[in-house]
Amino acid sequence: MTYSGEEGLVVRVWSNMAATTNLEAVVEALRILITPREPGSSIHNPDQRAALLHTLQFNVSALEEELNQVSKWEALVVLRERVSKDVQWWKDGLQSQADPSWKFTSEVLLLLLCLKDCMIELAKSFQPSKPNLRTPEAAPPLSPDTLSIAQQKTVQSALQFVVSMGICPYLLPGIGLPLQYRSEFGVLVCSVVLCDLPLVRARRLYITCMSLLEVSRHSSLGSLFFTQHLGDLMAGLCQLGYCPTKVKADQGTNESLRTMTEGERDQCQEALRGLLDRLYQPLVIRELLILQGGPRQGPRPSGAAASLQRAPAPSWLRHLCGQLLSERLMRPNGVQAVVRGILEDAGAGVTGGREAEAAASNWKKCDAIARVLASCPQQSISMEMYYRKVCPQILDLLHIQNSLTARQFQRVATETFLKMGRDQPQLSETYLILPMLKPLLHCTTAEAEKCPIPGETLISEPVLSQCVEDIVKVFVVGNDPTDAILNYSRQIILAIFSLYCFARQNASNIRSPCQDILLWFLEKSDRESAVSALSELSGMDSSLPSLPQYSLIKPGSEGGAMIIVREDQSDDDDDVLYERVTGEQWRLQCLVDLLSINPHTGLAADFFLYCLKRLTPITAGEKEPDLSSSPEDSLLDLERKLTLRYQYQEKLLQLLQVLSVLCERVSNSIFTDVKQIVEFVLMTLERACTGLATSEGGIVASQTLSMAMGLIAAMLGVVELTSTDFGHLKTLIPVLEKVMQSHPEPVIQELASDLRITIATHSAVPLTNRTPNDRATEKRDTKQQRSDQDSDLQNIQEMLSSAKDADVPTRAAALRSLTRLLEQRHPQVIDRKEQVMQLFVENLEQGDPFVYLSAIQGIAVLSRDIPEHILPILLAQYESAVSSKGKAAAPETRMKVGEALMRCTRTLGDMVLRHKDVLIHCFLRGCRDPDSSIRASSLSNLGELCKQLQFSLGPVLHEVTSCLSAVVHTDPEAQVRRAAIHVIVLLLRGLNKMATEVLRDVLLDLYRLLKFVVQCEKDSVSVLHAQLGLEELDSIMRTFLFPTQKLEKKIVVLPSDI
């Protein structure tokens, strides 16, 4: 039958209303079933099992009465009958003669099926309206099959009852988590459900699992069910589909499964496979791990403890779960799913948070996952096939960008990478190391054989940044330097160093990773390989692959770097030559800076000695190889000889440049142990002796010998040497004997003899501490020191007299000089501090600003040493109206004294607490002075003092606030009122967050005082100060009421009794 437009709309509206009514009726029926109809009956009944059975029977009977008597249930009755006709187990009448628990479960299952049909009908009839462009921010309309919060709770409770009474009791021992281990109510449910009938046990489990699978086909119901009960459903399907039907050890298992046909078992197997394929894989893997159980337990104890021990999972179930887990692992993104499935349960999921930090520290779990991933499962065809599928996924784990999960995934990836490298070195090189290093290996000269195109990108910025970060995560953080890892690191070390030198010249985010890689390689390699690598990095050797000459490192748009082909490859241009020379110099500077980062390793000294050994044949007069031309040479031979000569000379220049930079940049901290110093001195002595033997050394050779032997003499006299150190020093004895016999100067011969005897006797015969020249030098230094002291005393006397000079510049300069000597803690000025203090105090009365400001600064500096002397004098002058000369003190002089007091307060800092009482009383009395300028000065000083006191302000807090309030309300001068309000601002600004603690008793009074000023004060400056005070108070209270949320990691030591 067809309808017109309006009729069709009416029909749809009525059908939607009917479906909505059915949905509400189904949920209401479920609520009747799961809600106790007689409150308190189970509490007062001592037999809880009987009470639960009574409640189940009563609820089923109540629902049947409601459906038969009340007219509003007519639609539900019709729907219920229609759904029951499609359910085979309902038509067979398996629920009619059942026990109360199964009858209750059947009713709930039937209602859940009705609910699913209602929601499907509502979803089909839903036609969302077009969005209103005028209000795009409005939320779209909800689908009519959406359940409310209350309805979801009812459905979840119903599903829990179905699982507790329809699945868990019928599971065999060892399959899934037993219900009695979950709660006390689970023990009660197990006692209610009749599981002793083997003929119906498997049938009821099959009915429940198939019905719940049907219900879960709706997305909303499926999400409610799978988030809580996926493991129970998987356990039921595993038992139905895979449990052996012929087990000699358990005859009950055979009987319980005789009612299952092969078609039904195949259906359960297909349902399990489909369920695992369509759900969130980490959730599936976690449930499979739980279902598989832990390692097999030992012999079960007897007695009461045996009943509390969980039965181990059957062997067929463990094998099945292992097979299913292997299938999940071998699928695309299976490695990530396995890692997520294990780590998300530890708090490393999507939400992260504090649990993510806890999971990051759980390195044992990450190592366990790595061991699992590195082990080839039995279901895999071959080891190579497993590595081919899994290794790319392991590398992908290094690129997780989510900050909450990246640390855990990278730890797992790194441990798996290293574990595979130890177990299968060849396969790990093929499928892990080479793919990770492919960008850099491809770009080196060993790989770059094709003719490049100018401007072509060799390595893009994302690829290069990812490659460098992966090397850091695996090699540096993993810190497992195997032979393969060190070998491949050596292949790319020149490329990494080029990137490091580029990053040092630019603001690049690859600087720190490249530095970490270089330092790690130099530290983990053996010393010979590390020195050889440094020789490669410095340019003295060229056996390792490096970036090609035509390549250019260029800054990237994301703060990284990219490698491209140069536009102009000509080597004849002067700019290119200059760029090459400056580039080599910069590389040497970067290399030396790299060695300076960890001077304690001694690598810089070994490299320096290596360079000296290569320099020794040159300084000894060894000539370059014979590369002279002959008449018989062809043009090719001439070109070859010229090239070799230029290369030889270039290596020599490079060696000299390296030595020059090393001596310039790290000479003061290059040697870290005695052995290195001895090797350096030995080579120096041998080189000097060679120069003397050939008569080519002269003065330079003699100075070199003196320097080397002086170094050994200083070490013997200062350093506490061990027997091992003396063993190294004994290698110098033959060279010292040679010096004794061949050197023409007696002083050098005598020093060499003394050194040889001291080394041979292990310092039992010490060296002579001082020579006659040393004594003469010491006498000369003492005489010079006395002369300097006399000169200083004369200068100080001149300063003290100049401080009283009538000339203003002379007086000010003398005061400044005395102040500077006080700051430098000059001993002769400190001895005359009383005299200096009197000079400063007298100069406060001078009218010239330069003079009295210098005196104020000197008083402030002097207050650090003698505050107990200087403060009483200043306080007396500040309070008295008579000057130090017996005349009436001008207000300006008293204000200068007040400024000096304020400077002293700042200088004393926390030490002002000792003098707070006299200072506060003085300033409070100054607030009552007849002169308004003195009152304002006292208030200003009071504010500075309160700012310094902070918590120590408590005993006089009320006096201060009372004084400020009185001044604000009664003082006629606007300047004084401004000063009082400014005191409040300074007080709030100085205390800041501590104001709520220090001023808690008067904070309300201060707030009211500031509001009074804002509302009633006529002076605009006073109002401005009050507004600033209110802003400070507002900021303080906001910080107090709404503190900044900080995520902090706290380590708590638990008591020993826990």
Side-chain angles (χ1 to χ4, degrees):
M1 181 179 294
T2 58
Y3 299 95
S4 62
E6 295 181 357
E7 292 176 348
L9 178 61
V10 171
V11 169
R12 286 196 301 271
V13 170
W14 278 103
S15 61
N16 288 344
M17 292 178 61
T20 304
T21 304
N22 286 342
L23 188 146
E24 295 176 353
V26 172
V27 175
E28 179 64 21
L30 287 174
R31 189 184 62 80
I32 293 174
L33 275 178
I34 65 175
T35 304
R37 311 303 294 173
E38 298 180 1
S41 60
S42 61
I43 298 177
H44 298 293
N45 193 340
D47 189 357
Q48 294 184 352
R49 181 178 182 278
L52 180 58
L53 286 174
H54 175 72
T55 301
L56 296 178
Q57 293 174 346
F58 185 84
N59 288 357
V60 173
S61 302
L63 178 61
E64 292 177 352
E65 292 178 2
E66 289 279 341
L67 295 177
N68 294 330
Q69 296 178 4
V70 183
S71 59
K72 70 175 182 178
W73 302 101
E74 292 180 0
L76 177 58
V77 172
V78 175
L79 177 63
R80 190 166 174 269
E81 292 179 355
R82 179 171 60 83
V83 173
S84 62
K85 292 179 182 179
D86 299 334
V87 179
Q88 184 64 35
W89 55 269
W90 190 272
K91 293 189 297 182
D92 295 340
L94 292 179
Q95 84 289 348
S96 59
Q97 303 298 329
D99 57 274
S101 62
W102 177 246
K103 189 172 183 180
F104 174 83
T105 305
S106 302
E107 291 289 346
V108 176
L109 283 174
L110 186 62
L111 289 176
L112 289 174
L113 292 172
C114 294
L115 179 63
K116 186 211 62 168
D117 289 352
C118 289
M119 297 175 72
I120 291 175
E121 291 178 4
L122 286 172
K124 288 180 180 179
S125 61
F126 176 58
Q127 295 182 357
S129 59
K130 296 181 179 180
N132 189 357
L133 300 179
R134 297 181 179 178
T135 58
E137 70 279 0
L142 288 175
S143 176
D145 64 336
T146 304
L147 298 176
S148 65
I149 301 298
Q151 290 173 344
Q152 289 182 14
K153 290 183 179 179
T154 302
V155 174
Q156 286 177 339
S157 300
L159 291 172
Q160 185 175 1
F161 271 108
V162 170
V163 172
S164 300
M165 295 186 178
I167 293 181
C168 296
Y170 303 114
L171 295 177
L172 296 176
I175 302 178
L177 182 62
L179 190 61
Q180 57 269 24
Y181 287 86
R182 305 184 188 183
S183 64
E184 295 181 359
F185 181 73
V187 179
L188 183 61
V189 170
C190 290
S191 64
V192 170
V193 179
L194 299 178
C195 305
D196 298 333
L197 300 175
L199 297 178
V200 298
R201 183 174 188 172
R203 178 57 54 186
R204 289 181 179 179
L205 181 60
Y206 174 78
I207 290 171
T208 305
C209 292
M210 292 296 106
S211 300
L212 289 176
L213 279 175
E214 185 66 25
V215 171
S216 65
R217 295 185 185 278
H218 191 278
S219 59
S220 299
L221 296 177
S223 62
L224 292 176
F225 175 69
F226 290 135
T227 53
Q228 299 291 333
H229 309 292
L230 175 61
D232 296 320
L233 180 61
M234 290 171 56
L237 292 176
C238 289
Q239 177 174 322
L240 293 172
Y242 293 95
C243 182
T245 57
K246 294 182 179 180
V247 181
K248 297 181 180 180
D250 190 0
Q251 298 300 328
T253 303
N254 292 337
E255 296 178 359
S256 63
L257 296 175
R258 283 176 184 171
T259 56
M260 291 287 297
T261 63
E262 290 299 326
E264 291 173 340
R265 290 172 61 85
D266 294 340
Q267 182 183 3
C268 293
Q269 295 177 6
E270 294 177 1
L272 179 62
R273 297 280 181 177
L275 182 67
L276 299 183
D277 291 338
R278 67 187 177 94
L279 290 181
Y280 181 56
Q281 291 303 301
L283 179 62
V284 171
I285 289 170
R286 184 170 72 243
E287 296 297 338
L288 284 174
L289 290 173
I290 296 174
L291 194 61
Q292 189 179 28
R296 289 186 175 274
Q297 301 170 352
R300 299 181 62 182
S302 59
S307 61
L308 298 177
Q309 188 176 12
R310 179 182 171 185
S315 58
W316 64 267
L317 180 60
R318 297 170 63 88
H319 178 75
L320 173 63
C321 293
Q323 181 179 359
L324 295 175
L325 286 171
S326 300
E327 293 176 0
R328 305 297 108 188
L329 177 63
M330 301 292 286
R331 296 178 62 182
N333 297 323
V335 172
Q336 188 175 144
V338 170
V339 178
R340 287 186 182 275
I342 299 175
L343 290 182
E344 281 184 0
D345 191 38
V350 179
T351 57
R354 279 184 197 168
E355 292 83 1
E357 292 295 329
S361 62
N362 191 0
W363 58 271
K364 290 185 178 180
K365 180 172 289 189
C366 295
D367 291 347
I369 299 174
R371 289 194 298 271
V372 171
L373 295 178
S375 302
C376 179
Q378 298 178 354
Q379 291 77 14
S380 180
I381 299 176
S382 64
M383 183 71 71
E384 184 175 2
M385 180 65 68
Y386 176 74
Y387 271 60
R388 186 182 302 171
K389 289 185 177 182
V390 171
C391 288
Q393 301 185 44
I394 294 174
L395 294 177
D396 290 339
L397 292 180
L398 296 170
H399 310 146
I400 300 295
Q401 299 298 324
N402 188 355
S403 59
L404 297 175
T405 59
R407 291 179 58 188
Q408 299 89 326
F409 282 83
Q410 291 169 11
R411 182 189 292 272
V412 172
T414 301
E415 293 297 330
T416 308
F417 192 109
L418 300 176
K419 184 71 168 57
M420 286 182 167
R422 292 190 296 268
D423 296 344
Q424 299 290 334
Q426 295 182 351
L427 292 178
S428 65
E429 289 181 17
T430 304
Y431 296 107
L432 285 176
I433 299 179
L434 289 177
M436 185 179 70
L437 304 180
K438 181 180 179 181
L440 290 176
L441 292 176
H442 178 72
C443 193
T444 54
T445 54
E447 297 287 341
E449 299 177 354
K450 64 178 183 179
C451 183
I453 302 174
E456 178 186 1
T457 300
L458 298 178
I459 307 179
S460 62
E461 180 185 6
V463 174
L464 182 60
S465 300
Q466 179 176 292
C467 179
V468 173
E469 290 176 0
D470 290 348
I471 295 173
V472 173
K473 294 172 185 176
V474 177
F475 291 178
V476 180
V477 178
N479 198 18
D480 186 12
T482 60
D483 294 339
I485 289 178
L486 290 177
N487 181 34
Y488 281 101
S489 299
R490 187 177 180 85
Q491 299 298 320
I492 62 170
I493 196 67
L494 284 177
I496 295 295
F497 183 67
S498 299
L499 293 173
Y500 172 71
C501 296
F502 165 79
R504 287 285 303 273
Q505 288 181 314
N506 303 272
S508 179
N509 54 24
I510 64 172
R511 174 180 175 179
S512 180
C514 291
Q515 177 178 304
D516 294 340
I517 295 171
L518 292 170
L519 292 176
W520 173 84
F521 174 77
L522 295 175
E523 179 185 356
K524 299 303 177 181
S525 300
D526 59 274
R527 191 48 57 97
E528 182 179 355
S529 299
V531 172
S532 174
L534 289 176
S535 177
E536 296 280 349
L537 298 180
S538 63
M540 294 190 298
D541 295 324
S542 58
S543 60
L544 293 179
S546 62
L547 294 178
Q549 294 293 333
Y550 56 77
S551 64
L552 175 65
I553 303 176
K554 181 180 177 182
S557 59
E558 299 296 331
M562 57 189 301
I563 302 178
I564 63 173
V565 179
R566 294 179 183 271
E567 297 291 342
D568 187 6
Q569 304 178 17
S570 175
D571 293 336
D572 300 332
D573 193 358
D574 293 339
D575 295 337
V576 176
L577 180 60
Y578 174 77
E579 181 181 354
R580 178 184 176 186
V581 173
T582 55
E584 291 177 354
Q585 293 177 353
W586 175 248
R587 289 172 68 91
L588 282 180
Q589 293 181 14
C590 294
L591 179 62
V592 174
D593 292 340
L594 189 69
L595 293 174
S596 302
I597 295 177
N598 293 325
H600 61 276
T601 58
L603 184 59
D606 290 336
F607 181 56
F608 182 68
L609 296 174
Y610 171 80
C611 295
L612 288 179
K613 289 179 181 178
R614 296 185 60 166
L615 185 64
T616 300
I618 301 172
T619 57
E622 180 180 315
K623 298 182 180 180
E624 63 183 37
D626 185 14
L627 298 175
S628 60
S629 59
S630 62
E632 293 81 7
D633 292 340
S634 62
L635 292 177
L636 292 176
D637 294 336
L638 291 175
E639 182 180 2
R640 181 182 60 81
K641 290 183 177 181
L642 287 175
T643 303
L644 292 175
R645 180 183 300 174
Y646 291 151
Q647 290 178 353
Y648 178 77
Q649 294 175 353
E650 183 180 1
K651 296 297 182 183
L652 293 182
L653 292 175
Q654 188 70 21
L655 175 60
L656 293 175
Q657 187 177 8
V658 171
L659 283 172
S660 174
V661 175
L662 285 173
C663 294
E664 179 184 356
R665 303 292 293 275
V666 295
S667 59
N668 58 342
S669 61
I670 191 170
F671 295 115
T672 58
D673 57 15
V674 176
K675 181 181 179 181
Q676 294 174 341
I677 297 176
V678 170
E679 290 182 4
F680 169 70
V681 171
L682 180 62
M683 285 188 294
T684 305
L685 292 176
E686 289 176 348
R687 189 164 57 251
C689 290
T690 304
L692 290 173
T694 57
S695 300
E696 297 180 359
I699 299 176
V700 177
S702 299
Q703 291 179 350
T704 303
L705 278 174
S706 300
M707 181 270 296
M709 290 190 291
L711 179 61
I712 293 297
M715 186 172 61
L716 290 171
V718 177
V719 181
E720 184 177 352
L721 301 175
T722 62
S723 58
T724 305
D725 298 333
F726 278 106
H728 299 315
L729 287 170
K730 286 181 179 180
T731 58
L732 300 175
I733 292 179
V735 184
L736 292 174
E737 291 179 350
K738 186 176 181 180
V739 172
M740 289 171 52
Q741 297 171 1
S742 60
H743 203 280
E745 296 183 10
V747 177
I748 300 296
Q749 294 179 3
E750 183 180 357
L751 180 58
S753 176
D754 292 342
L755 289 175
R756 185 180 65 85
I757 294 172
T758 303
I759 293 173
T761 59
H762 287 205
S763 295
V765 179
L767 290 171
T768 303
N769 293 331
R770 292 185 298 172
T771 64
N773 293 331
D774 295 333
R775 295 188 181 94
T777 303
E778 183 179 352
K779 184 181 294 184
R780 200 165 46 246
D781 293 342
T782 305
K783 184 176 180 181
Q784 182 67 28
Q785 185 177 5
R786 291 177 180 176
S787 176
D788 294 341
Q789 290 178 356
D790 295 338
S791 177
D792 289 343
L793 180 59
Q794 184 178 0
N795 292 334
I796 291 173
Q797 292 294 342
E798 292 179 0
M799 291 180 190
L800 292 174
S801 60
S802 299
K804 301 179 182 180
D805 197 286
D807 186 39
V808 172
T810 304
R811 183 190 294 258
L815 294 175
R816 289 284 181 179
S817 299
L818 289 173
T819 302
R820 185 165 54 254
L821 291 176
L822 285 173
E823 290 176 347
Q824 297 173 0
R825 309 290 298 173
H826 196 285
Q828 297 186 8
V829 178
I830 295 298
D831 294 340
R832 294 168 176 81
K833 55 189 174 184
E834 298 290 344
Q835 183 180 358
V836 174
M837 179 190 70
Q838 188 64 31
L839 281 174
F840 286 148
V841 173
E842 291 177 357
N843 280 279
L844 289 177
E845 300 181 4
Q846 296 295 321
D848 188 86
F850 194 37
V851 175
Y852 72 73
L853 286 177
S854 300
I856 290 174
Q857 180 64 25
I859 290 173
V861 174
L862 196 58
S863 65
R864 292 181 302 185
D865 297 323
I866 50 173
E868 63 278 357
H869 293 167
I870 199 167
L871 286 180
I873 297 175
L874 295 177
L875 290 173
Q877 291 192 12
Y878 188 72
E879 293 182 357
S880 176
V882 181
S883 67
S884 60
K885 298 180 181 180
K887 301 179 182 179
E892 291 80 6
T893 303
R894 297 176 64 188
M895 293 175 65
K896 296 173 189 175
V897 176
E899 177 68 19
L901 285 171
M902 184 182 68
R903 295 282 186 92
C904 292
T905 301
R906 292 178 181 172
T907 304
L908 288 174
D910 294 337
M911 296 298 294
V912 79
L913 299 177
R914 183 178 177 184
H915 313 280
K916 69 172 183 175
D917 293 334
V918 293
L919 289 171
I920 288 178
H921 294 160
C922 176
F923 295 148
L924 289 178
R925 285 194 295 270
C927 295
R928 300 174 59 183
D929 196 272
D931 196 319
S932 62
S933 59
I934 299 300
R935 296 199 302 271
S937 174
S938 299
L939 288 170
S940 177
N941 295 338
L942 182 63
E944 187 66 30
L945 179 61
C946 292
K947 183 178 178 181
Q948 293 290 335
L949 290 178
Q950 293 186 356
F951 280 99
S952 301
L953 191 62
V956 294
L957 183 60
H958 290 282
E959 288 81 353
V960 173
T961 54
S962 299
C963 175
L964 296 176
S965 179
V967 170
V968 170
H969 284 91
T970 62
D971 199 289
E973 295 293 335
Q975 180 183 3
V976 181
R977 296 195 300 273
R978 294 175 191 171
I981 299 170
H982 188 60
V983 171
I984 301 176
V985 177
L986 285 179
L987 190 59
L988 295 174
R989 191 171 296 164
L991 293 174
N992 200 359
K993 297 179 181 180
M994 298 181 292
T996 54
E997 298 183 42
V998 179
L999 305 176
R1000 58 183 177 182
D1001 296 334
V1002 297
L1003 201 58
L1004 181 59
D1005 297 335
L1006 294 178
Y1007 170 75
R1008 289 173 177 171
L1009 183 60
L1010 293 175
K1011 292 294 289 185
F1012 167 77
V1013 174
V1014 172
Q1015 296 172 0
C1016 303
E1017 179 61 51
K1018 297 180 180 179
D1019 182 48
S1020 60
V1021 179
S1022 300
V1023 173
L1024 177 61
H1025 281 304
Q1027 289 175 347
L1028 292 177
L1030 289 174
E1031 291 179 1
E1032 289 289 339
L1033 186 58
D1034 179 70
S1035 176
I1036 292 170
M1037 295 309 298
R1038 286 181 181 273
T1039 305
F1040 176 73
L1041 295 175
F1042 310 105
T1044 304
Q1045 299 294 330
K1046 295 182 179 179
L1047 298 177
E1048 297 180 349
K1049 183 190 297 183
K1050 293 184 178 180
I1051 300 176
V1052 180
V1053 179
L1054 297 176
S1056 58
D1057 55 349
I1058 294 180

